[in-house]
Amino acid sequence: MASVPGILFNRRVLVVHNGMDSMTAPGRATTALVQDLRDRDIEVVDAVSQGEAEAQIATHSLLQAVMVDWELAGGADHEAARQVIATVRAHTSNLPVFLLASRGSLAEIPSGVLEAVNDYVWLFEDTSDFIGGRVMAAIDRYRATLLPPMFKALAKFAGTYEYSWHTPGHAGGTAFLKHPVGRAFFEFFGEELFRSDLSISVGELGSLLDHSGPIGEAERYAARVFGADRTYFVTNGSSTSNRVILMSSVTRNQIALCDRNCHKSVEHAMTLTGAIPTYLMPSRNYLGIIGPIHPEHLEPAAIRESIAANALVKSGIDPKPVHAVITNSTYDGLCYNVERVEMLLGQSVDRLHFDEAWYGYARFNPIYAKRFAMHGDPGTSQKDRPTMFATQSTHKLLAALSQASYIHIRDGRRPINHARFNEAFMMHASTSPQYAIIASNDVAAAMMDGPSGPALTGESIREAVAFRQTLARLSAEFAAKGTWFFSAWQPDDIIDAKSGAYTPFRLADPELLACDPNAWVLHPGDSWHGFGDLEDGYCMLDPIKVSVVTPGMGRDGKLAATGIPAALLTAYLDAQGIVVEKTTDFSCLFLFSLGITRGKWGTLINALLGFHRDILANTPLAQAIPALAAAHPEHYGKTGLADLATAMFAAMKKFKTTELLSAGFGVLPTPVFSPVEAYERLVNGDIESLTLEQMAGRTVATGVVPYPPGIPLLMPGESAGEPGGPLLGYLKALEAFDAAIPGFAHDIHGVEVEDGLYRVLCVKQ
Ligand SMILES: *Cc1c(COP(=O)(O)O)cnc(C)c1O
């Protein structure tokens, strides 16, 4: 039949009927039908109530048909049956739904229901054999259309069992079987991975480099789903996607505007292209969270000023920027009103590039409307708008394998046509891409297509809202008892649009929080966000990126009398198998991705409660964070968790790490060389490794990026500045903290640590 070879799952149908097995006439007819389906090897899952049916629909994602009794739970309005059908349609538009009717006629069924179902079964008029045949046919039609183009072709090819003479040389995995280590590898991953690991010489699947065949079809499918004119699949991460875009758009000594809060790959792209970066400074708040670039900095006059102030823009260099890169959303989940950014920045530059590595889902939930690069629909007249690029790490917050990434393009002013763009694409692509990664890009698009996109993203948002409200409630309960607890970085109060009344966050209507962007927008002057009088609506906090805040930092940016550094919480959670996404001085970031479950965040709440208890009890570190105590017995052998919190907080106070972080990231260093000039010196060995003391006034050869916050303190070619200046001042504070508190050394890309001293590669004088 029309099912796909290589796809192993069974045919499966959900039958929702409350009278099954009863001796009533409809009960007997349904029982006979179920028996017929089973005789056809169709697995039948049954549900006797609306609640059971909805649970099955939520958990059994491999249902291939649903049959619903119109008389379910009785009642003249057939409410239960209608709800079940609505639940199916909220998740999928094409899953076949059969309405089981035993009496009455179509004329009595409301039009909304008629539209939502695919077919009707008149239990007393048709034989169970006839009905069973129709269900089978519907299932097979569904199976044939379920899979997106490239995954379908791959599964089909892997199921054909040809002898291959092409690479990869493991030949469908058989080479591994010749050695015990190879066999262990083969058995660990399973045969399908190897059978579908193919070479570009398999013509049936098309080519990633030519964008042909099923691979090209999958790219066009993703373009439709993500709202792009063109989509390119990249199998080496958004790191590569960023480089491809810049290589296609910018050449040597041209000016590219660049969010200072950019990923390392953008710095690399600046080096590769020979561009002259002019940085746009993002804002920062009291927690050290990086905010948006303020709209004032994007006005044409401000851009002209930034370029004029850039020491690398010498005579002979065209002062008009050709490209701009903006990180959207930021790591901490702050997303721009892209329409507004386009309006502002579009006056200065014709190509806007949004790095949406953490934000691939934005198109699929109305809460993010207009806050992503591909907003609106393609194809309409875009000539007056900038050409738009987006890079998305499919693997980060959609469901895909590591390294899967998309480039989406919407042509506007100064477009780059496909032939030209593909030169840059091929320059960074392997001629042997991994087909499972390509297929996962295809699958991620299919999972977001139709109603499942809003349904899946809506679930993540609802779980994040529930977690945030739980935390806020616990916080209020502990406060009433006179003790601290964690809070989430989020609005204190929510305004009800209808009544205009303020409600504390924990008591706000969860549906409003899940659906109304206004609840998450940074309103000017609200004290919670700490970004001051930012233009209303310009920036929004993404509810699924949750920063859990530890005590110690005031909203005025001043340290409190006591506090608990977030790094300690991170270490504690790590010991319990909970891995935090990112840690700043007083906050830990948790991502509520599509993979979130209630159990997962319930465990996190328990661990936070456990930490709170262990701090109050000053539990010995040997028990609270055993690995830490074991690694530093002389320091931590007899220390308790609260003792360590106190010592860490005191060290932060003494070395002023938070204050100096602000100062360090508050200035733009002076560039001496462009990134490529600095890199040429590195390659030629024209460099030396210097301590912080020796670095004063020197030019760095590699970027210096402290994590957190993960934005470059120094880019290659920039001057480290005065000995007592903000850049070296901040690095010295981190060095001193690392020496004082073993086991909590900062992670700084570009810094080597030797005998406790930081060393950085600088250009020789
Ligand atoms: C992770 C990240 C990238 C790189 O993405 P990969 O898919 O890991 O290569 C690019 N930009 C930003 C902002 C990122 O966080």
Side-chain angles (χ1 to χ4, degrees), residues 632-652:
H632 305 277
E634 72 289 8
H635 278 94
Y636 298 138
K638 297 196 178 65
T639 313
L641 192 65
D643 300 333
L644 180 54
T646 306
M648 289 174 81
F649 188 72
M652 288 170 81

Side-chain angles (χ1 to χ4, degrees), residues 224-247:
R224 176 175 74 63
V225 173
F226 286 86
D229 288 333
R230 278 174 287 143
T231 289
Y232 295 81
F233 284 1
V234 174
T235 59
N236 201 11
S238 296
S239 302
T240 293
S241 300
N242 283 333
R243 289 192 280 260
V244 167
I245 294 174
L246 274 138
M247 284 302 280

Side-chain angles (χ1 to χ4, degrees), residues 236-240 242 263 265 327 355 357-358 393 395-396 404-405:
N236 201 11
S238 296
S239 302
T240 293
N242 283 333
H263 187 254
S265 57
T327 306
D355 182 340
W358 293 92
S393 293
H395 65 95
K396 277 184 178 163
S405 167

Side-chain angles (χ1 to χ4, degrees), residues 27 79 103 115 122 159 242 277 321 345 347 376 425 436 444 468 502 589 615 643 660 666 753:
E79 187 57 21
R103 54 191 157 80
E115 273 169 35
W122 304 102
N242 283 333
L345 203 49
Q347 296 173 60
F425 179 87
R468 285 169 177 276
Y502 283 82
L589 178 68
I615 284 278
D643 300 333
L660 290 170
V753 186

Side-chain angles (χ1 to χ4, degrees), residues 365-369 371 458 461-462 465 491 493-501 505 508-523 539-543:
N365 200 286
I367 203 164
Y368 305 109
R371 295 189 179 275
I461 294 171
R462 284 187 175 80
V465 163
D493 302 291
I494 300 298
I495 312 176
D496 186 316
K498 279 183 228 123
S499 65
F505 186 92
D509 173 8
E511 267 314 289
L512 180 121
L513 290 175
C515 301
D516 184 1
N518 201 43
W520 302 97
V521 158
L522 272 52
H523 297 297
C539 182
M540 182 183 100
L541 171 63
D542 184 343

Side-chain angles (χ1 to χ4, degrees), residues 532-548:
D533 277 331
L534 194 63
E535 184 180 298
D536 202 17
Y538 180 69
C539 182
M540 182 183 100
L541 171 63
D542 184 343
I544 74 156
K545 315 234 165 107
V546 184
S547 295
V548 170

